[in-house]
């Protein structure tokens, strides 16, 4: 195993790795399992040599650059969860190994394993999705209602900083995955936090000549705390499926719509506060439908 540590004592890092190998993972993604140990998260992966799914990074030079950038942003107050080090098998095809990072504070923005009950993408393959929740259907409905209500009570200044931090991250050509709400955390003291930042955008890797328009990107990704409605052009697979939402009573659907509308208003106010123009906002709003928002 090759190893490299940036902001953690190597001995401590190896102790965390030993602990992770003896315990069961707590969370999982498409190609990762997360072991939560105290203030740290150890992630197992078999794709460490790949950036943005398919771009080769065999010597991990791009990964190292991302880690250094995240640490710098973190120390300057941007709410990223920094990567502290990693180890991997250099002879493995795509990089089998472990990543050590700080553990995000608070809870996931939404638990994607629970949202899958209601989202369009999961309806046609409910028995085969990799996400799993131990909640029964009634508990999932209560979670959806309560979590949306909790987010609607987040103070405006936390939404404002969320957008400001997003702009800072994007200025460094780091890709933010807004496809999953579990890629963001919220803590009442820390505010919103960004996790799973491990790749640059395609422009950085020379795969496109078009540098991403940060203002347009933020005007779309800045709505990630919201729930999307069926018929949205963007994030269509993550929309609340109309049939699945019939599992909620009319009263529950009304409550959900009210909470989500408040979240929407918080997001749009934060985007305006951070200088996103009305023309850009209107362009994005023409492509996104929000649950309960007319």
């Amino acid at each position: 195993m090759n190893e490299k540590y940036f902001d953690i004592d190597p001995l401590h890092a190896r102790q965390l790795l030993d602990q992770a190998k003896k315990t069961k993972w707590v969370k999982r993604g498409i190609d990762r399992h997360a072991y939560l140990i105290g203030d740290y998260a150890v992630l197992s992966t078999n794709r460490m040599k790949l950036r943005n799914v398919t771009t080769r990074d065999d010597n991990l030079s791009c990964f190292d650059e991302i880690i250094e950038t995240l640490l710098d942003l973190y120390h300057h107050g941007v709410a990223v969860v920094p990567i502290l080090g990693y180890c991997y098998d250099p002879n493995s095809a795509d990089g089998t190994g472990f990543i050590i990072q700080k553990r995000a504070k608070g809870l996931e923005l939404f638990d994607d394993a629970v949202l899958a009950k209601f989202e369009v993408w999961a309806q046609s393959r409910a028995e085969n999705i990799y996400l799993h929740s131990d909640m029964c259907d009634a508990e999932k409905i209560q979670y959806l209602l309560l979590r949306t209500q909790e987010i609607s009570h987040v103070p405006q200044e936390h939404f404002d900083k969320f957008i400001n931090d997003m702009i800072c991250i994007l200025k460094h050509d780091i890709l933010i995955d807004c496809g999953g709400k579990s890629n963001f955390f919220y803590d009442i003291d820390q505010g919103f936090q960004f996790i799973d930042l491990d790749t640059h955008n395609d422009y950085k890797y020379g795969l496109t000549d078009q540098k991403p328009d940060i203002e347009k990107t933020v005007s779309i990704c800045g709505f990630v705390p919201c729930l999307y409605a069926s018929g949205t052009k963007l994030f269509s697979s993550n929309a609340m499926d109309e049939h699945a939402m019939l599992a909620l009573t009319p009263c529950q659907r009304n409550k959900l719509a009210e909470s989500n509308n408040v979240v929407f208003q918080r997001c749009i106010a934060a985007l305006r506060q951070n200088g996103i123009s009305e023309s850009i906002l209107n362009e994005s709003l023409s492509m996104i439908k929000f649950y309960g928002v007319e």
Side-chain angles (χ1 to χ4, degrees):
M1 283 279 197
N2 285 0
E3 57 183 10
K4 189 168 185 178
Y5 303 114
F6 295 77
D7 201 28
I8 187 171
D9 178 73
L11 178 60
H12 187 197
R14 295 180 191 118
Q15 289 172 341
L16 291 170
L17 291 169
D18 287 341
Q19 286 181 262
K21 293 171 184 177
K22 296 173 183 176
T23 59
K24 188 181 186 307
W25 54 268
V26 178
K27 292 281 186 178
R28 68 160 296 180
I30 295 176
D31 62 343
R32 292 183 179 179
H33 293 82
Y35 304 83
L36 304 180
I37 305 169
D39 293 331
Y40 299 90
V42 178
L43 311 176
S44 65
T45 178
N46 57 8
R47 298 169 64 86
M48 201 178 300
K49 295 179 183 178
L50 297 177
R51 309 270 74 78
N52 200 11
V53 183
T54 59
T55 302
R56 301 297 307 184
D57 182 24
D58 289 311
N59 64 2
L60 301 187
S61 60
C62 293
F63 191 38
D64 288 349
E65 182 181 342
I66 290 168
I67 293 171
E68 296 282 8
T69 300
L70 292 178
L71 283 168
D72 184 64
L73 289 171
Y74 175 76
H75 290 304
H76 282 85
V78 179
V80 297
V81 175
I83 297 169
L84 306 176
Y86 59 80
C87 67
Y88 74 107
D89 178 1
N91 296 317
S92 56
D94 295 326
T96 299
F98 294 90
I99 297 167
I100 301 171
Q101 62 184 44
K102 282 187 175 292
R103 186 172 173 179
K105 303 293 185 182
L107 299 172
E108 294 158 310
L109 180 59
F110 282 95
D111 185 341
D112 285 329
V114 178
L115 281 190
K117 164 70 179 174
F118 309 100
E119 291 181 326
V120 168
W121 72 273
Q123 303 311 307
S124 61
R125 44 184 174 143
E127 301 303 318
N128 298 315
I129 59 175
Y130 69 90
L131 294 169
H132 173 73
S133 170
D134 292 328
M135 293 184 189
C136 67
D137 287 352
E139 289 172 327
K140 290 177 180 178
I141 290 171
Q142 289 304 313
Y143 170 86
L144 180 66
L145 292 168
L146 180 59
R147 190 59 179 158
T148 308
Q149 184 182 59
E150 289 171 344
I151 296 169
S152 74
H153 292 156
V154 169
Q156 184 63 50
E157 55 264 31
H158 283 183
F159 280 92
D160 294 347
K161 186 175 187 301
F162 175 60
I163 299 301
N164 184 263
D165 286 353
M166 184 178 291
I167 292 170
C168 290
I169 294 166
L170 293 172
K171 283 181 177 179
H172 287 82
D173 291 320
I174 293 177
L175 189 67
I176 299 173
D177 181 4
C178 294
K181 296 186 187 296
S182 291
N183 292 328
F184 307 87
F185 272 64
Y186 180 75
D187 176 74
I188 193 169
D189 296 317
Q190 293 282 110
F192 294 101
Q193 300 145 82
F194 298 76
I195 69 168
D196 279 358
L197 302 172
D198 61 4
T199 186
H200 294 106
N201 56 43
D202 284 349
Y203 175 81
K204 178 76 171 180
Y205 298 136
L207 301 176
T208 176
D209 294 331
Q210 188 75 32
K211 189 174 178 65
D213 187 312
I214 292 177
E215 188 175 6
K216 287 185 178 180
T217 301
V218 173
S219 73
I220 294 169
C221 293
F223 288 108
V224 73
C226 302
L227 299 174
Y228 308 115
S230 181
T232 185
K233 295 178 182 177
L234 298 179
F235 305 112
S236 57
S237 63
N238 297 116
M240 299 290 98
D241 181 78
E242 289 182 340
H243 180 75
M245 294 306 289
L246 294 177
L248 282 68
T249 66
C251 180
Q252 288 173 328
R253 291 196 294 272
N254 286 339
K255 287 183 177 179
L256 184 66
E258 289 174 6
S259 295
N260 196 52
N261 186 53
V262 173
V263 177
F264 167 76
Q265 296 298 337
R266 296 269 197 275
C267 289
I268 201 165
L271 289 162
R272 287 171 173 147
Q273 174 66 26
N274 281 278
I276 306 302
S277 68
E278 290 300 317
S279 61
I280 295 295
L281 274 175
N282 289 335
E283 182 180 343
S284 296
L285 291 173
S286 70
M287 297 183 287
I288 310 175
K289 289 182 65 177
F290 304 93
Y291 189 83
V293 178
E294 299 300 328

